[in-house]
Amino acid sequence: MLFHITHTHSYQTCHGHDEAKKAKMSKAMESADELGIKVIGMYVDPPGHKFYILMEADTMEQIVGFFDPMLELGDADIHPVMDFQAALAALRKD
């Protein structure tokens, strides 16, 4: 399953100038393989304090495990998504 995540934080909780928060985020990113998650892409909007992440995982529980250590770093808006062509093909089957 593909998941699109928008992680938002405030200026007050920003990782950019806080070494402990940067280390926590880096450790979480490194844990993706251990959790069976493939990070397909990660993009940032530094002035907007947002991360945009596309991940592949078998279960939502894997995604929850990934974000659990970072809960105090901001809010995660998580949506399962699918390839557009696959969605069109699924619609044609009906």
Side-chain angles (χ1 to χ4, degrees):
M1 294 174 60
L2 292 176
F3 294 89
H4 180 270
I5 299 106
T6 303
H7 181 272
T8 306
H9 56 272
S10 67
Y11 174 78
Q12 292 79 12
T13 60
C14 187
H15 318 97
H17 301 286
D18 185 312
E19 293 305 317
K21 290 177 184 175
K22 272 197 264 188
K24 189 173 274 200
M25 184 67 127
S26 293
K27 186 175 180 181
M29 293 308 296
E30 292 168 6
S31 77
D33 281 342
E34 296 169 19
L35 293 167
I37 296 171
K38 179 180 179 185
V39 178
I40 296 171
M42 184 169 183
Y43 308 91
V44 295
D45 169 9
H49 301 280
K50 293 184 190 292
F51 288 82
Y52 301 97
I53 310 166
L54 186 61
M55 298 180 145
E56 184 175 6
D58 294 324
T59 67
M60 182 64 174
E61 287 81 5
Q62 290 168 289
I63 301 296
V64 170
F66 177 84
F67 279 98
D68 184 61
M70 300 183 288
L71 290 177
E72 73 274 4
L73 298 181
D75 297 317
D77 189 23
I78 303 168
H79 296 275
V81 296
M82 65 188 301
D83 176 77
F84 183 69
Q85 294 300 323
L88 288 177
L91 290 173
R92 284 192 282 262
K93 289 180 183 176
D94 289 340

